[in-house]
Amino acid sequence: MNGIWYYIIAFFLVWILSLTFRRQLSNHGFEINFPTIMWKTKRFHNVIEKIANFSPRFWKWFMNVGIIISFIAMFFITYSLIQSLSTLIEAPAVSIVLPGVEMPGSTIYVPLGYGLISLATVLIVHEFSHGILSRVEKINIKSVGLLLFTILPGAFVEPDEEELVKSSRLSQLRVYAAGSMANIALAIVALLIFSAVGTYGIPNTFDENGIEIDRVVSDSPANGVLKEGMILESINNHTIKDSNDYMEVVETFVPGERVSIGTDQGIYNLTLSENPSNSSRGFVGVQAANHFEIKESVSSVFGDTIPWILFEISTLTQWIFILNLGVGLFNLLPVKPLDGGRMFEIVLSYKLKEETYKPITNAVSIVLATIIIFSLIYGFIG
């Protein structure tokens, strides 16, 4: 089933139930106003307060470093976005990512389960970090909780805006930088775990034995021909023993080429289409991964089920890394109302008057937002 149907089914179930039991849910802190369901609770206030009071001095110095990193990242992501204009036609740099759904214009497919869990870490870590630094800076929090926008989960922390504006510029920068810095920090932790599992855990537990089809892309030459789980044995009479053999053959593909693919379930012929990321390259429409078998020494101790958890950990931490880093960097773009836009405006306010720095911030926001929107639209129609 296409992932979009899971969202549609969940949308109707959630909203039918929430509207049916609206009164009962309201008695437990839920606010239901389509398209948003919000759950406010004091429990999260207490958690944020405890973390903030753990070591206020540490949080301030950590975020001082975070401000520097944030502005370096802001320059990097802004430069990358502008540079992407030169390759916009071939590969738009910005695309919408929805777990479980193949989005037009996006070369990234995020698995449904892993994607939703990873997205939850992005939102919760980001928002709660804003709350923690707000309390470190003695800024009150109006509300904290979880939300559902149509069917997409999220979290929110609402600092007292008046107190935030009246605080020092440095305090404001710390609060605004906190979200993205938390995402980047979590991305680094996830990357370390992913690297450790891939470097030590999997090689010491499994033997590599060929290449396996991990996913078949819809509306591609392979769709309806090849299936997930097939082991690739040859392509155009070239034997496929490992990922190096596979990549050597794939890199020679050109659009319109007729290829013969040998698998453990038979030989299949198909005609290649254009690669969405590079129109000069041929495209089969499969994601391939190494095929592994548990080592006998490991199987005799842990059995044939437990060791496979390493791959679950590897895949989950991979997506936690990708989504947290991606969202964290994107949020640092100098575009209002993103945190990066607010930080950019605060820095300009150190030397410029309001009638000067606000127009500059608005102009930069409009230019970058136009590039983003144009990239998204071209991705859908290109």
Side-chain angles (χ1 to χ4, degrees):
M1 181 187 292
N2 189 318
I4 194 65
W5 287 106
Y6 291 110
Y7 289 97
I8 293 173
I9 294 170
F11 171 82
F12 282 105
L13 285 176
V14 167
W15 280 99
I16 288 173
L17 291 173
S18 62
L19 293 175
T20 301
F21 299 101
R22 186 170 189 166
R23 180 177 299 177
Q24 293 88 330
L25 291 171
S26 298
N27 294 332
H28 291 83
F30 286 86
E31 294 181 7
I32 302 171
N33 296 296
F34 187 82
T36 304
I37 299 174
M38 301 176 67
W39 178 51
K40 297 181 179 180
T41 175
K42 291 290 185 181
R43 297 176 184 176
F44 296 139
H45 276 274
N46 297 333
V47 172
I48 289 174
E49 198 72 36
K50 288 180 180 179
I51 297 175
N53 291 332
F54 175 73
S55 179
R57 181 177 295 181
F58 164 77
W59 290 120
K60 287 185 177 182
W61 279 105
F62 175 67
M63 210 48 60
N64 287 342
V65 176
I67 291 171
I68 297 172
I69 295 174
S70 294
F71 279 106
I72 293 173
M74 183 187 297
F75 173 81
F76 167 77
I77 192 67
T78 303
Y79 177 78
S80 299
L81 181 63
I82 295 173
Q83 282 291 103
S84 72
L85 289 173
S86 61
T87 59
L88 179 62
I89 296 177
E90 295 181 359
V94 182
S95 62
I96 297 174
V97 174
L98 191 62
V101 180
E102 294 175 6
M103 301 297 294
S106 176
T107 57
I108 300 177
Y109 172 79
V110 184
L112 182 62
Y114 297 115
L116 289 177
I117 294 173
S118 301
L119 187 60
T121 67
V122 171
L123 299 172
I124 292 173
V125 166
H126 185 100
E127 290 299 324
F128 275 53
S129 294
H130 282 312
I132 292 168
L133 264 296
S134 293
R135 293 306 300 132
V136 168
E137 299 295 338
K138 305 303 180 184
I139 298 168
N140 288 317
I141 297 174
K142 286 185 175 181
S143 60
V144 183
L146 304 177
L147 62 83
L148 205 65
F149 180 75
T150 62
I151 195 59
L152 297 177
F156 64 92
V157 174
E158 184 185 5
D160 189 302
E161 193 65 29
E162 291 184 5
E163 293 184 15
L164 180 59
V165 171
K166 291 178 181 179
S167 63
S168 69
R169 291 187 180 95
L170 182 57
S171 293
Q172 292 181 52
L173 286 173
R174 288 180 184 138
V175 172
Y176 289 131
S180 288
M181 277 306 301
N183 289 136
I184 293 172
L186 181 57
I188 293 172
V189 172
L191 179 61
L192 292 174
I193 297 173
F194 172 77
S195 300
V197 171
T199 304
Y200 302 104
I202 291 176
N204 291 324
T205 307
F206 299 88
D207 287 320
E208 183 180 346
N209 185 19
I211 297 295
E212 178 180 348
I213 297 177
D214 190 46
R215 185 175 76 91
V216 178
V217 179
S218 61
D219 298 326
S220 70
N223 189 38
V225 180
L226 302 177
K227 298 178 181 179
E228 295 178 5
M230 286 182 171
I231 308 299
L232 299 179
E233 297 179 344
S234 66
I235 299 178
N236 287 344
N237 296 320
H238 293 277
T239 301
I240 305 297
K241 295 181 180 179
D242 53 33
S243 56
N244 290 330
D245 292 337
Y246 176 73
M247 291 306 301
E248 285 180 3
V249 176
V250 169
E251 288 174 356
T252 66
F253 285 165
V254 294
E257 180 183 356
R258 188 74 175 171
V259 297
S260 175
I261 299 178
T263 74
D264 61 334
Q265 299 180 31
I267 298 176
Y268 302 87
N269 297 303
L270 49 82
T271 301
L272 304 180
S273 62
E274 291 184 359
N275 193 305
S277 301
N278 187 338
S279 59
S280 65
R281 297 278 295 274
F283 185 61
V284 177
V286 299
Q287 285 186 350
N290 292 328
H291 177 66
F292 292 96
E293 295 180 351
I294 302 175
K295 293 182 177 181
E296 291 186 9
S297 58
V298 175
S299 177
S300 62
V301 177
F302 296 100
D304 295 329
T305 302
I306 294 178
W308 294 101
I309 294 176
L310 287 174
F311 287 99
E312 303 296 329
I313 296 173
S314 176
T315 304
L316 179 59
T317 52
Q318 176 189 27
W319 286 113
I320 289 176
F321 164 73
I322 292 173
L323 293 185
N324 272 275
L325 183 63
V327 173
L329 291 177
F330 182 84
N331 189 62
L332 288 173
L333 280 169
V335 177
K336 292 186 71 175
L338 297 179
D339 292 331
R342 296 179 179 182
M343 294 178 68
F344 181 62
E345 187 173 75
I346 291 170
V347 168
L348 292 180
S349 71
Y350 272 96
K351 293 294 183 181
L352 303 176
K353 295 182 179 180
E354 183 174 347
E355 58 266 26
T356 302
Y357 70 74
K358 280 191 176 294
I360 292 176
T361 305
N362 292 335
V364 172
S365 296
I366 291 172
V367 170
L368 296 181
T370 300
I371 296 175
I372 293 170
I373 293 171
F374 189 74
S375 296
L376 291 174
I377 293 175
Y378 189 86
F380 274 92
I381 66 176

